Amino acid sequence: RAQYLDRVLKLREAIPGIGLSTDIIVGFPGETEEQFEDTMSLVNEVRYDSAFTFIYSPMTGTRAAEMPDMLKEEIATERIKRLIALQEELQKDTLQRFVGKEEEILVEGLSRRSDKAVSGKGKHAVSITVDGSEEDIGKILKCRITGLKNNTLTGERISEMRY
């Protein structure tokens, strides 16, 4: 843990504003409440920009699938709900720092919610939605971040970048 946190600190010193993401599996066989609380504490300390969270599920043929002390589904479900709630709270605070700033985004596709908007990612790997059309896919747009929703940002287009 100490070595990991030291690396996170060095990354943040070397690249201010760097975005960090992680994958977390909850409910691995034998996971104790104390171990889960250690994970929650680490997530709170690191403050990831995003986290992909999963409940452990046994895969046939793996050593873990044969391990004793499989957690009850209700315990794993309760834990992942707590982890997701913490991450959502932290992520909201993290995303708030982008509001009012300018960002260049690579447009990846149309928005899922509107055919008059496009979605892309900037250098922090956070999805940003701005007004646009199918013609913008593959282009780099400069935008100003105007707000946030759950785990994405919204913005207004400033210009198309020419390289």
Side-chain angles (χ1 to χ4, degrees):
R1 180 183 177 114
Q3 182 182 27
Y4 179 80
L5 289 172
D6 183 57
R7 288 182 180 174
V8 167
L9 179 64
K10 286 179 180 171
L11 279 168
R12 289 190 167 146
E13 287 173 350
I15 308 168
I18 189 172
L20 298 177
S21 166
T22 190
D23 293 355
I24 301 172
I25 296 174
V26 171
F28 192 80
E31 177 186 74
T32 65
E33 180 64 26
E34 182 180 356
Q35 289 168 329
F36 174 72
E37 286 299 330
D38 283 345
T39 298
M40 294 283 283
S41 171
L42 183 72
V43 167
N44 196 42
E45 195 167 345
V46 174
R47 304 182 74 85
Y48 295 101
D49 291 69
S50 63
F52 300 93
T53 58
F54 310 91
I55 293 177
Y56 169 79
S57 59
M59 292 181 64
T60 305
T62 63
R63 289 172 53 194
E66 305 302 322
M67 293 176 73
D69 301 328
M70 292 286 177
L71 259 64
K72 292 180 181 174
E73 185 178 337
E74 56 269 14
I75 292 173
T77 300
E78 183 271 333
R79 287 180 182 173
I80 200 152
K81 285 180 180 178
R82 288 169 40 205
L83 176 62
I84 290 170
L86 172 63
Q87 178 57 31
E88 285 177 348
E89 177 185 325
L90 296 173
Q91 190 169 356
K92 191 174 185 181
D93 288 345
T94 299
L95 292 178
Q96 188 63 46
R97 76 175 190 241
F98 293 106
V99 176
K101 295 188 177 174
E102 292 181 3
E103 181 88 17
E104 291 179 12
I105 64 167
L106 172 61
V107 177
E108 298 172 324
L110 290 172
S111 167
R112 292 186 201 142
R113 291 183 169 66
S114 169
D115 60 356
K116 295 181 181 176
V118 293
S119 181
K121 292 187 178 149
K123 63 183 177 181
H124 295 95
V126 176
S127 290
I128 303 169
T129 302
V130 298
D131 289 342
S133 69
E134 198 168 338
E135 294 175 3
D136 293 314
I137 296 172
K139 294 180 180 174
I140 296 176
L141 304 179
K142 189 170 189 177
C143 65
R144 180 173 292 104
I145 308 302
T146 57
L148 58 110
K149 294 181 179 180
N150 294 341
N151 59 353
T152 64
L153 296 167
T154 57
E156 59 187 14
R157 176 194 302 234
I158 297 172
S159 65
E160 180 179 325
M161 304 304 295
R162 306 231 184 254
Y163 291 98

